């Protein structure tokens, strides 16, 4: 499975960005897709995840600001990020979990929130 991300960049506090990720290859056994992030000097953390069944989960710090959506027919996942804060600055990684195969990761995309 290959994951290709797009949509990172520089935005001012309070602004919005949209991250997209497309999976290709042996995608039939993917049961969840989501986004993680890693800020300098910090551990990678789960930001949001959506299962094939449509269940979602968010880290508390982004609830009400970020929205994850997924299209498992197209094997894509999108993260709409609103009301961005400087503490959201990180490298964001797309993740896919596949039964019998483990986790797959994208190359990462930089999100910088700064005035």
């Amino acid at each position: 499975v290959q994951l290709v991300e797009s949509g990172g960049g520089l935005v001012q506090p309070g602004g919005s960005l949209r991250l997209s990720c497309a999976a290709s290859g042996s995608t039939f056994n993917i049961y969840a897709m989501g986004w993680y992030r890693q800020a300098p000097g910090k551990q990678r953390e789960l930001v949001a995840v959506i299962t094939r069944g449509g269940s979602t989960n968010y880290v508390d710090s982004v609830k009400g600001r970020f929205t994850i959506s997924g299209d498992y027919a197209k094997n894509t996942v999108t993260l709409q990020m609103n009301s961005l804060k400087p503490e959201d600055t990180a490298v964001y990684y797309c993740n896919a979990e596949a039964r019998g195969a483990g986790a797959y990761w994208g190359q990462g995309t930089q999100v910088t929130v700064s005035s």
Side-chain angles (χ1 to χ4, degrees):
V1 174
Q2 295 79 44
L3 302 176
V4 178
E5 304 142 339
S6 60
L10 172 65
V11 65
Q12 292 186 343
S16 298
L17 281 176
R18 185 180 178 93
L19 304 182
S20 296
C21 175
S24 61
S26 299
T27 59
F28 64 94
N29 57 343
I30 292 176
Y31 64 88
M33 295 184 72
W35 293 91
Y36 285 69
R37 66 186 179 187
Q38 187 166 19
K42 295 187 177 182
Q43 290 188 330
R44 189 174 296 190
E45 68 171 351
L46 173 67
V47 177
V49 63
I50 184 166
T51 69
R52 186 177 285 272
S55 298
T56 58
N57 192 32
Y58 298 87
V59 66
D60 285 347
S61 61
V62 308
K63 287 180 179 178
R65 300 188 297 121
F66 291 11
T67 302
I68 191 168
S69 58
D71 185 341
Y72 279 86
K74 297 180 180 179
N75 297 304
T76 58
V77 63
T78 299
L79 185 68
Q80 178 65 43
M81 305 186 293
N82 298 328
S83 302
L84 282 160
K85 303 176 180 180
E87 51 264 43
D88 294 317
T89 295
V91 177
Y92 284 69
Y93 296 91
C94 181
N95 165 267
E97 300 289 335
R99 288 190 179 86
Y104 296 93
W105 296 93
Q107 77 280 5
T109 185
Q110 177 70 45
V111 171
T112 302
V113 185
S114 174
S115 55

Short mmCIF file of all heavy atoms in Angstrom, two decimals, residues 6-12 14-20 65-67 78-84 88 92 109-113:
data_model
loop_
_atom_site.label_atom_id
_atom_site.label_comp_id
_atom_site.label_asym_id
_atom_site.label_seq_id
_atom_site.Cartn_x
_atom_site.Cartn_y
_atom_site.Cartn_z
N SER A 6 -1.19 15.34 0.35
CA SER A 6 -1.09 16.67 -0.23
C SER A 6 -1.83 17.65 0.66
O SER A 6 -2.68 17.25 1.47
CB SER A 6 -1.68 16.70 -1.64
OG SER A 6 -3.05 16.33 -1.62
N GLY A 7 -1.48 18.94 0.53
CA GLY A 7 -2.27 19.97 1.18
C GLY A 7 -1.63 20.70 2.33
O GLY A 7 -2.25 21.61 2.89
N GLY A 8 -0.43 20.38 2.72
CA GLY A 8 0.20 21.11 3.82
C GLY A 8 0.62 22.51 3.37
O GLY A 8 0.42 22.90 2.23
N GLY A 9 1.17 23.26 4.33
CA GLY A 9 1.65 24.59 4.00
C GLY A 9 1.71 25.50 5.20
O GLY A 9 1.63 25.05 6.34
N LEU A 10 1.83 26.78 4.90
CA LEU A 10 1.92 27.82 5.93
C LEU A 10 0.60 28.57 5.99
O LEU A 10 0.06 28.98 4.95
CB LEU A 10 3.06 28.78 5.59
CG LEU A 10 3.19 30.05 6.45
CD1 LEU A 10 3.54 29.69 7.89
CD2 LEU A 10 4.24 30.98 5.85
N VAL A 11 0.09 28.77 7.20
CA VAL A 11 -1.17 29.47 7.38
C VAL A 11 -1.09 30.30 8.65
O VAL A 11 -0.37 29.94 9.59
CB VAL A 11 -2.35 28.47 7.43
CG1 VAL A 11 -2.25 27.58 8.65
CG2 VAL A 11 -3.69 29.17 7.37
N GLN A 12 -1.82 31.40 8.68
CA GLN A 12 -1.86 32.23 9.86
C GLN A 12 -2.77 31.63 10.93
O GLN A 12 -3.69 30.86 10.59
CB GLN A 12 -2.35 33.63 9.50
CG GLN A 12 -1.38 34.41 8.63
CD GLN A 12 -1.82 35.84 8.42
OE1 GLN A 12 -2.97 36.20 8.64
NE2 GLN A 12 -0.88 36.68 8.00
N GLY A 14 -5.78 30.91 13.15
CA GLY A 14 -7.19 31.11 12.82
C GLY A 14 -7.56 30.68 11.42
O GLY A 14 -8.75 30.64 11.08
N GLY A 15 -6.57 30.37 10.62
CA GLY A 15 -6.82 29.98 9.24
C GLY A 15 -7.18 28.51 9.10
O GLY A 15 -7.33 27.78 10.09
N SER A 16 -7.31 28.07 7.85
CA SER A 16 -7.72 26.69 7.55
C SER A 16 -6.79 26.06 6.53
O SER A 16 -6.21 26.75 5.69
CB SER A 16 -9.15 26.68 6.99
OG SER A 16 -10.07 27.18 7.93
N LEU A 17 -6.68 24.77 6.63
CA LEU A 17 -5.97 23.96 5.64
C LEU A 17 -6.72 22.65 5.48
O LEU A 17 -7.41 22.20 6.41
CB LEU A 17 -4.53 23.65 6.08
CG LEU A 17 -3.46 24.72 5.92
CD1 LEU A 17 -2.15 24.23 6.52
CD2 LEU A 17 -3.27 25.09 4.45
N ARG A 18 -6.53 22.05 4.33
CA ARG A 18 -7.16 20.76 4.05
C ARG A 18 -6.08 19.80 3.59
O ARG A 18 -5.37 20.07 2.61
CB ARG A 18 -8.21 20.95 2.96
CG ARG A 18 -9.03 19.73 2.62
CD ARG A 18 -10.03 20.11 1.51
NE ARG A 18 -10.85 19.01 1.08
CZ ARG A 18 -12.05 18.75 1.58
NH1 ARG A 18 -12.55 19.51 2.53
NH2 ARG A 18 -12.77 17.73 1.11
N LEU A 19 -5.95 18.69 4.30
CA LEU A 19 -5.00 17.65 3.94
C LEU A 19 -5.74 16.50 3.27
O LEU A 19 -6.81 16.10 3.73
CB LEU A 19 -4.26 17.12 5.17
CG LEU A 19 -3.52 18.13 6.04
CD1 LEU A 19 -2.81 17.41 7.18
CD2 LEU A 19 -2.54 18.94 5.22
N SER A 20 -5.13 15.96 2.23
CA SER A 20 -5.72 14.81 1.53
C SER A 20 -4.70 13.70 1.43
O SER A 20 -3.49 13.94 1.37
CB SER A 20 -6.18 15.22 0.14
OG SER A 20 -7.23 16.17 0.22
N ARG A 65 -12.59 21.53 15.84
CA ARG A 65 -11.84 22.34 14.86
C ARG A 65 -11.48 21.54 13.61
O ARG A 65 -11.45 22.10 12.51
CB ARG A 65 -10.55 22.87 15.50
CG ARG A 65 -10.77 23.75 16.71
CD ARG A 65 -9.47 24.40 17.17
NE ARG A 65 -8.46 23.43 17.61
CZ ARG A 65 -7.25 23.33 17.06
NH1 ARG A 65 -6.89 24.11 16.06
NH2 ARG A 65 -6.40 22.44 17.54
N PHE A 66 -11.18 20.27 13.78
CA PHE A 66 -10.78 19.41 12.66
C PHE A 66 -11.91 18.43 12.35
O PHE A 66 -12.61 17.97 13.24
CB PHE A 66 -9.53 18.60 13.02
CG PHE A 66 -8.26 19.40 13.16
CD1 PHE A 66 -8.26 20.79 13.19
CD2 PHE A 66 -7.04 18.73 13.24
CE1 PHE A 66 -7.08 21.50 13.32
CE2 PHE A 66 -5.85 19.43 13.37
CZ PHE A 66 -5.88 20.82 13.43
N THR A 67 -12.03 18.10 11.07
CA THR A 67 -13.01 17.11 10.64
C THR A 67 -12.35 16.14 9.68
O THR A 67 -11.76 16.56 8.69
CB THR A 67 -14.20 17.78 9.95
OG1 THR A 67 -14.81 18.72 10.84
CG2 THR A 67 -15.23 16.73 9.55
N THR A 78 -9.48 12.66 4.07
CA THR A 78 -9.26 14.10 4.08
C THR A 78 -9.38 14.62 5.50
O THR A 78 -10.24 14.17 6.26
CB THR A 78 -10.29 14.81 3.18
OG1 THR A 78 -10.14 14.33 1.84
CG2 THR A 78 -10.09 16.31 3.20
N LEU A 79 -8.52 15.57 5.83
CA LEU A 79 -8.59 16.22 7.13
C LEU A 79 -8.78 17.71 6.91
O LEU A 79 -7.88 18.39 6.40
CB LEU A 79 -7.31 15.96 7.94
CG LEU A 79 -7.31 16.49 9.37
CD1 LEU A 79 -8.32 15.71 10.23
CD2 LEU A 79 -5.92 16.41 9.99
N GLN A 80 -9.95 18.21 7.25
CA GLN A 80 -10.23 19.64 7.19
C GLN A 80 -9.86 20.25 8.52
O GLN A 80 -10.41 19.86 9.56
CB GLN A 80 -11.71 19.88 6.88
CG GLN A 80 -12.10 21.35 6.83
CD GLN A 80 -11.44 22.09 5.70
OE1 GLN A 80 -11.37 21.61 4.57
NE2 GLN A 80 -10.95 23.29 5.98
N MET A 81 -8.94 21.19 8.48
CA MET A 81 -8.43 21.81 9.72
C MET A 81 -8.82 23.28 9.73
O MET A 81 -8.38 24.05 8.87
CB MET A 81 -6.91 21.66 9.80
CG MET A 81 -6.44 20.21 9.68
SD MET A 81 -4.67 20.02 9.93
CE MET A 81 -4.05 20.87 8.48
N ASN A 82 -9.65 23.65 10.69
CA ASN A 82 -10.09 25.03 10.84
C ASN A 82 -9.59 25.60 12.17
O ASN A 82 -9.17 24.85 13.05
CB ASN A 82 -11.61 25.10 10.81
CG ASN A 82 -12.20 24.62 9.50
OD1 ASN A 82 -11.59 24.78 8.44
ND2 ASN A 82 -13.39 24.04 9.56
N SER A 83 -9.65 26.90 12.27
CA SER A 83 -9.23 27.59 13.51
C SER A 83 -7.86 27.10 13.97
O SER A 83 -7.66 26.78 15.14
CB SER A 83 -10.27 27.37 14.61
OG SER A 83 -11.54 27.82 14.21
N LEU A 84 -6.94 27.06 13.04
CA LEU A 84 -5.61 26.52 13.34
C LEU A 84 -4.87 27.39 14.36
O LEU A 84 -5.02 28.62 14.38
CB LEU A 84 -4.79 26.38 12.06
CG LEU A 84 -5.18 25.15 11.22
CD1 LEU A 84 -4.73 25.32 9.77
CD2 LEU A 84 -4.59 23.90 11.84
N ASP A 88 -0.62 23.61 16.50
CA ASP A 88 -0.94 22.59 15.49
C ASP A 88 0.23 22.38 14.52
O ASP A 88 0.19 21.48 13.68
CB ASP A 88 -2.17 22.97 14.70
CG ASP A 88 -3.43 23.00 15.54
OD1 ASP A 88 -3.62 22.08 16.36
OD2 ASP A 88 -4.22 23.96 15.39
N TYR A 92 2.51 16.26 9.42
CA TYR A 92 1.31 15.41 9.47
C TYR A 92 1.52 14.21 8.56
O TYR A 92 1.92 14.35 7.40
CB TYR A 92 0.09 16.20 9.04
CG TYR A 92 -0.41 17.15 10.12
CD1 TYR A 92 0.35 18.27 10.48
CD2 TYR A 92 -1.60 16.93 10.79
CE1 TYR A 92 -0.08 19.13 11.48
CE2 TYR A 92 -2.04 17.79 11.79
CZ TYR A 92 -1.27 18.88 12.14
OH TYR A 92 -1.70 19.72 13.13
N THR A 109 3.64 15.62 5.53
CA THR A 109 3.49 16.95 4.94
C THR A 109 3.54 17.98 6.07
O THR A 109 2.93 17.80 7.12
CB THR A 109 2.17 17.06 4.14
OG1 THR A 109 2.11 18.33 3.48
CG2 THR A 109 0.94 16.87 5.01
N GLN A 110 4.29 19.05 5.85
CA GLN A 110 4.50 20.06 6.88
C GLN A 110 3.31 21.00 6.96
O GLN A 110 2.85 21.53 5.95
CB GLN A 110 5.77 20.85 6.60
CG GLN A 110 6.05 21.97 7.59
CD GLN A 110 6.46 21.45 8.97
OE1 GLN A 110 7.29 20.55 9.06
NE2 GLN A 110 5.88 22.02 10.02
N VAL A 111 2.84 21.22 8.18
CA VAL A 111 1.83 22.23 8.46
C VAL A 111 2.46 23.22 9.45
O VAL A 111 2.89 22.82 10.53
CB VAL A 111 0.55 21.62 9.06
CG1 VAL A 111 -0.39 22.72 9.55
CG2 VAL A 111 -0.14 20.74 8.02
N THR A 112 2.50 24.48 9.05
CA THR A 112 3.07 25.51 9.90
C THR A 112 2.03 26.60 10.12
O THR A 112 1.49 27.15 9.16
CB THR A 112 4.32 26.13 9.29
OG1 THR A 112 5.30 25.11 9.06
CG2 THR A 112 4.92 27.18 10.21
N VAL A 113 1.74 26.88 11.39
CA VAL A 113 0.76 27.91 11.75
C VAL A 113 1.53 29.03 12.43
O VAL A 113 2.02 28.88 13.54
CB VAL A 113 -0.33 27.36 12.67
CG1 VAL A 113 -1.39 28.43 12.92
CG2 VAL A 113 -0.96 26.10 12.07
#
